Amino acid sequence: MKNKKYLNIISVIVGIIIWQLIASIPNVSVFLASPPETVSAFMDQVRKGSMFVDIGYSLFRVLGGFAIGLVVAIPVAFLMGWYPKFSGLVEPWIQFFRTIPPIALIPLVIVALGVGESAKIVVIFLASFLVMVVTIYQGVKSVDITLIKAAKVLGARDRDIFFKVIVPASTPFILVGVRLGLAASLTTLVAAELTGAQVGLGEMIQSASLYLKMDVVILGIVVIGIIGFTLDKIVLFLERKLTGWQETRQM
């Protein structure tokens, strides 16, 4: 694990060096700000008092939409996996909407909900829910049938099988779904903030692009990436704690 951490640090340093070298190319520097320019843009945004406000609003939207998506996805996925008839009714619609980019639904969301915070959270909710429900459903379906049969032989009731066999066996898939859902929420953030946002990282990127402030654009992209990386590491930590009983390959 220590070697991996060192490699991660080296990878980041090498990446920044490559970024600096590419940004030094005259034609490229027009649209790709260098690391020092990005840091300078960050300090400017902090001095203006807008940086952490933008981060706060964007995090609220991302985590709000994601949390609602998770709360809805888990029961829907388990019902789909537990009851074939329910799956037959619901799965076609989930697969249908899963192929539609969330940005395509923005006009409908704006007409239905206006341009307030609820519209942004709904767009993010749709993106995260559709990713998570499919992942968790696949986890429920893939539970080893031998475990279920063994539980029935031992006299376990359906409720016991569900909570003591299905749920624990599906936990790794739930956590994978959480990681994918968070990623989907972040990648949908900029699109969600097209719905009339006055603050937020997506709005900051859009406003800066209009005035060709590429250092601020790159800053917004980097900050979103750092937030996503941090959230993913938190979920990985929880995964190690909750699924420590599983045998996994240590890299």
Side-chain angles (χ1 to χ4, degrees):
M1 291 297 291
K2 288 185 178 180
N3 289 337
K4 185 175 181 180
K5 289 180 180 178
Y6 291 140
L7 289 173
N8 287 341
I9 293 171
I10 292 171
S11 175
V12 171
I13 294 172
V14 171
I16 293 174
I17 293 172
I18 293 173
W19 174 11
Q20 175 64 48
L21 292 174
I22 295 174
S24 300
I25 300 173
N27 291 336
V28 177
S29 62
V30 175
F31 61 87
L32 180 63
S34 66
E37 290 172 336
T38 305
V39 172
S40 177
F42 173 77
M43 298 307 297
D44 287 341
Q45 294 298 112
V46 171
R47 282 192 289 268
K48 291 177 183 177
S50 60
M51 187 75 255
F52 295 111
V53 173
D54 288 331
I55 292 175
Y57 271 90
S58 290
L59 267 177
F60 169 75
R61 292 159 186 160
V62 166
L63 296 179
F66 163 77
I68 298 171
L70 180 62
V71 168
V72 177
I74 289 177
V76 171
F78 275 100
L79 286 171
M80 288 172 63
W82 195 248
Y83 298 108
K85 290 182 179 178
F86 182 83
S87 175
L89 291 171
V90 175
E91 187 176 9
W93 291 105
I94 288 177
Q95 296 298 342
F96 172 78
F97 282 106
R98 194 166 67 91
T99 61
I100 301 174
I103 194 171
L105 301 174
I106 287 178
L108 293 176
V109 173
I110 292 176
V111 171
L113 300 174
V115 293
E117 291 299 315
S118 58
K120 301 165 186 58
I121 290 174
V122 165
V123 173
I124 294 172
F125 155 74
L126 291 171
S128 60
F129 165 76
L130 293 169
V131 170
M132 289 189 288
V133 72
V134 172
T135 305
I136 298 170
Y137 169 54
Q138 291 301 320
V140 176
K141 280 179 60 179
S142 66
V143 174
D144 191 347
I145 192 66
T146 304
L147 296 176
I148 298 174
K149 289 181 178 179
K152 288 182 177 179
V153 169
L154 294 173
R157 296 173 297 177
D158 284 351
R159 180 179 178 181
D160 296 325
I161 293 172
F162 182 79
F163 285 104
K164 296 182 180 180
V165 177
I166 302 295
V167 172
S170 302
T171 299
F173 289 88
I174 294 175
L175 293 171
V176 171
V178 167
R179 293 180 68 188
L180 295 174
L182 281 170
S185 300
L186 285 164
T187 54
T188 312
L189 173 64
V190 177
E193 291 184 343
L194 285 171
T195 58
Q198 299 299 315
V199 291
L201 293 172
E203 192 279 334
M204 182 182 78
I205 292 172
Q206 294 169 51
S207 297
S209 66
L210 293 176
Y211 297 98
L212 298 179
K213 295 181 178 179
M214 303 314 296
D215 53 344
V216 178
V217 171
I218 299 299
L219 171 63
I221 294 171
V222 170
V223 170
I224 291 174
I226 292 173
I227 291 172
F229 181 82
T230 304
L231 292 175
D232 189 68
K233 288 297 182 183
I234 292 172
V235 176
L236 282 174
F237 173 78
L238 294 175
E239 183 177 9
R240 288 194 294 270
K241 294 296 182 181
L242 295 174
T243 62
W245 50 270
Q246 284 191 319
E247 291 186 4
T248 56
R249 181 183 178 188
Q250 299 296 323
M251 299 297 290

